Amino acid sequence: MTSQTIPTGEFISFNERETFELGSRIGEGLSGGEILLLNGPLGAGKTVLVKGIAHSLGLDEEDVTSPSFTLVNPHQGRLLLYHIDLYRLDEGATAAHAVDWMRSSATKMRW
């Protein structure tokens, strides 16, 4: 059995397809318990990246939408994926509390 690794570092994508494919590669390496923090301006492609992650977890990427107004969108696939938007919440304490209830899921937070 081969162990998957999650790509790390700084990546530049030139279109949505490349962003989606990076997300898919990240998702393939998830085993549960990971917390992925994304930071970028509106329209940077954060949700497209999460759609790629969701696809690799066996989810329909069309079901993945930005959680800007709901704050948390849970998606059940190979792993439970929480798509969380912390942009409008107080930093620090909110993120720390959110971590406690996500230990067995793949979690993506954005702010």
Side-chain angles (χ1 to χ4, degrees):
M1 181 171 163
T2 321
S3 175
Q4 295 285 335
T5 59
I6 300 170
T8 60
E10 185 173 323
F11 300 91
I12 298 173
S13 68
F14 295 98
N15 56 54
E16 285 190 19
R17 186 86 225 139
E18 289 179 2
T19 303
F20 182 91
E21 289 171 359
L22 174 60
S24 186
R25 287 197 322 266
I26 291 169
E28 289 170 359
L30 298 177
S31 58
E34 296 90 349
I35 298 174
L36 309 174
L37 301 174
L38 303 178
N39 187 10
L42 192 64
K46 298 178 296 291
T47 297
V48 173
L49 186 80
V50 176
K51 285 177 179 273
I53 293 170
H55 176 78
S56 69
L57 296 178
L59 296 160
D60 182 351
E61 62 267 17
E62 296 304 316
D63 292 338
V64 175
T65 59
S66 176
S68 293
F69 299 104
T70 57
L71 298 182
V72 178
N73 291 338
H75 303 281
Q76 182 63 60
R78 176 175 61 84
L79 299 171
L80 180 58
L81 172 69
Y82 287 105
H83 188 185
I84 302 170
D85 192 331
L86 299 178
Y87 179 75
R88 292 179 290 131
L89 302 179
D90 291 335
E91 293 182 27
T94 302
H97 293 302
V99 169
D100 289 337
W101 56 272
M102 297 180 259
R103 296 284 181 200
S104 63
S105 66
T107 302
K108 183 274 186 190
M109 292 185 212
R110 54 193 265 171
W111 70 91

